[in-house]
Amino acid sequence: MSAGENEDAIERAALLLALRQRGLRDPQVMRAFEQVPRELFVEPAFRRQAWRDQALPVDCGQTISQPTVVALMTEALELKPAHRVLEVGTGTGYHAAILGHIAGHVVTLERFRTLAAAAARRLAGLGLSNVEVFIADGLLGYPAGAPFDRIVLNAAVAEVPPALFGQLAPDGILVAPVGPPEGTQVLTRYRRGIEGLERRELSLVRFVPMLPGVAAVL
């Protein structure tokens, strides 16, 4: 093992320990984090920081979220192998890979063609044939695949778009960072119950804003 690989192994072990110390208890989620090589999903310039618990910049002005936030969001979804999941904001495909190791089928939407194409290559390289990447306006969701058992937003919204709530199955869960696009948001979980949507605030977070439409060039 090279010095770089040894350093990666140490930082990876430290990150997994940090996830446990922060209360991550779902064995499926922990197993997914162990299986997905985060170094494949970061830019080459940040390769040495791949296993640190921090957000990192990626192409098109986007970010790959810090692992502890991804873990919190994933655990809040209460995923099961039979679930169909809609992810809005593919980015590099890292969160989609985590989801794909747990859920039966994942549809992930990205507005930037460059990011979508690169993510699709990474996911295919990992053998995650149950994850489909589409170029689409995430604010509109993916009606052709609805309803979804779980929906997760990887970008901030002032309010969750009605179209996404409309694609959530009965007893479904939606997790999103809700709040001012340029400020601090509240990671919020919604569950569709018999009497309507049940709302629960989870944590303060900072995400890039969700933008409408499909990017014209990138």
Side-chain angles (χ1 to χ4, degrees), residues 26-108:
D26 189 326
Q28 292 184 111
V29 177
M30 182 61 71
R31 193 178 307 115
F33 272 84
E34 293 171 346
Q35 293 174 324
V36 176
R38 192 170 187 253
E39 66 272 15
L40 298 183
F41 294 88
V42 302
E43 297 298 316
F46 298 99
R47 171 68 179 75
R48 298 298 296 274
Q49 298 164 252
W51 286 100
R52 296 176 189 173
D53 189 27
Q54 62 187 82
L56 296 171
V58 299
D59 284 343
C60 307
Q62 304 302 294
T63 59
I64 177 172
S65 297
Q66 67 186 93
T68 51
V69 173
V70 175
L72 175 61
M73 298 174 78
T74 305
E75 191 167 55
L77 290 170
E78 300 179 12
L79 291 172
K80 292 181 171 56
H83 282 159
R84 299 182 68 259
V85 181
L86 174 64
E87 178 192 39
V88 180
T90 310
T92 64
Y94 177 65
H95 198 177
I98 298 289
L99 298 171
H101 273 283
I102 307 172
H105 185 223
V106 179
V107 171
T108 179

Side-chain angles (χ1 to χ4, degrees), residues 9 13 16 18 20 23 28 42 51 54 59 70 96 121 128-129 140 142 145 149 164-165 181 194 210:
L16 294 173
R20 292 188 179 94
Q28 292 184 111
V42 302
W51 286 100
Q54 62 187 82
D59 284 343
V70 175
R121 288 194 297 270
L128 290 167
S129 58
L140 302 178
Y142 191 68
D149 302 297
L164 295 180
F165 280 137
I194 297 175
M210 185 172 294

